[in-house]
Amino acid sequence: MENSSNKDLEAALDLFKKAEYEKAIEAFNGLLEKDKNNPNILNNIGLCYMKIADDERASEYFIKSLSFNPKAVQTYVNLAEVYYRNDNIPEGINLLENGVTLMPGEIALKHYLSRFYLKDCRYDLAMTELFEILDIDENNLDAYWDLGNIQFELGDYESAVENYENVLEHITTNAVMYYQTAITYEAADNIDKAISNHLKAISCNENFEPSYKKLGILFMARNDNESAVEYFEDYLKFDLPKDERKNIEDLINRIKINQKQ
């Protein structure tokens, strides 16, 4: 009997891996008939419903799963994902606060809770969770990045770039991260650092068009019109909206006219 159940479970999991979610639901329900209170099976059914965007049914199964295993971290995360994508912020906060109370050392729950607090504009609470994560794991790059994003929103650009730089010491191939760091340096009036990070963004991804435009603007601010024209012309190589293209072409023409005067 046990071998048969293991084979049925493997078959259900295989259907899930193949993205045959409705068939997987049938298979997991067959297992549930033999073990009605199994939190893992309930969680798996919830995941199947989540994959087919039936979030109401997914929530029902995740909640039922947690009733039998209130310390299942992954089920908290799954249910939090459903709440987050449906903007059920109060329910998500209540769920995750309960989870953190039960399992105060679980970084994943604290991180999700910080994001719900951020979505609810409760910045102080979000930062508190992130600082507590760093107390547990001082090398948690996600926490540093999210802290930087909050500090950027609050206008604390110096703290933001410090946290971004902590991340970029370890992740050196992400153009978006370099771009975010660059615009933060620009907001802090550090043009040289802003340019440096936009150049790194392009080095990571030569098709990262926002940095070309930003470099043109920053070189103009530094009165390096030759470099400004170079990056604006590179920017024009991308498939830009008609109005944007005309604005950049006009700007290049004005720069060239001024250079001749």
Side-chain angles (χ1 to χ4, degrees):
M1 177 71 84
E2 185 175 343
N3 288 336
S4 176
S5 295
N6 288 338
K7 287 181 180 179
D8 289 343
L9 177 59
E10 288 175 8
L13 290 171
D14 190 51
L15 288 167
F16 182 86
K17 290 174 185 176
K18 292 177 180 177
E20 297 181 30
Y21 300 119
E22 292 184 357
K23 290 181 179 179
I25 289 170
E26 290 182 18
F28 283 125
N29 273 319
L31 289 164
L32 199 61
E33 288 177 5
K34 303 171 187 175
D35 190 0
K36 295 183 184 297
N37 301 334
N38 188 307
N40 294 325
I41 296 173
L42 290 163
N43 177 68
N44 288 336
I45 295 173
L47 278 171
C48 291
Y49 279 117
M50 187 176 172
K51 291 292 186 179
I52 62 175
D54 189 342
D55 288 346
E56 185 175 349
R57 296 296 298 279
S59 297
E60 290 174 7
Y61 278 93
F62 291 142
I63 290 169
K64 191 170 182 181
S65 176
L66 286 172
S67 72
F68 294 113
N69 183 6
K71 289 191 175 184
V73 174
Q74 190 57 51
T75 307
Y76 277 98
V77 169
N78 295 338
L79 184 53
E81 284 279 359
V82 172
Y83 286 151
Y84 195 86
R85 74 187 190 185
N86 287 281
D87 284 326
N88 294 336
I89 304 305
E91 290 181 69
I93 289 174
N94 183 60
L95 168 76
L96 292 164
E97 285 180 340
N98 289 338
V100 168
T101 298
L102 280 173
M103 298 167 283
E106 286 293 342
I107 287 175
L109 300 185
K110 296 180 79 65
H111 213 138
Y112 270 88
L113 181 56
S114 74
R115 289 176 177 175
F116 273 85
Y117 282 145
L118 180 58
K119 187 88 169 179
D120 204 36
C121 298
R122 296 158 74 175
Y123 300 112
D124 289 346
L125 291 175
M127 292 176 68
T128 295
E129 294 299 325
L130 293 169
F131 282 125
E132 289 181 3
I133 289 171
L134 291 171
D135 286 340
I136 298 169
D137 177 13
E138 63 181 8
N139 297 314
N140 192 292
L141 300 183
D142 287 336
Y144 282 118
W145 189 258
D146 283 355
L147 266 176
N149 288 338
I150 294 172
Q151 289 158 341
F152 177 84
E153 290 297 324
L154 295 175
D156 184 0
Y157 302 123
E158 289 187 9
S159 297
V161 293
E162 183 178 344
N163 282 303
Y164 291 152
E165 293 288 7
N166 283 334
V167 177
L168 291 173
E169 285 180 12
H170 303 276
I171 300 175
T172 59
T173 57
N174 190 306
V176 174
M177 288 183 171
Y178 280 119
Y179 178 82
Q180 179 62 34
T181 305
I183 64 173
T184 308
Y185 274 121
E186 181 184 357
D189 293 323
N190 192 331
I191 302 301
D192 289 344
K193 285 282 191 179
I195 289 173
S196 173
N197 278 275
H198 281 302
L199 290 172
K200 289 175 183 177
I202 290 172
S203 177
C204 292
N205 179 3
E206 64 181 9
N207 294 316
F208 193 75
E209 62 181 77
S211 281
Y212 287 96
K213 180 180 181 179
K214 280 288 189 180
L215 282 165
I217 293 169
L218 291 169
F219 278 119
M220 275 185 64
R222 215 164 65 171
N223 294 318
D224 184 349
N225 291 323
E226 184 176 342
S227 296
V229 168
E230 176 187 344
Y231 283 101
F232 282 137
E233 288 179 340
D234 285 339
Y235 181 57
L236 287 175
K237 294 174 184 177
F238 294 98
D239 185 18
L240 305 177
K242 186 176 180 180
D243 289 347
E244 174 73 349
R245 178 171 296 279
K246 185 177 185 309
N247 289 337
I248 297 299
E249 288 173 344
D250 289 346
L251 184 56
I252 291 171
N253 288 333
R254 287 200 300 271
I255 293 172
K256 289 182 176 180
I257 290 169
N258 289 335
Q259 284 177 317
K260 292 178 181 179
Q261 290 178 349

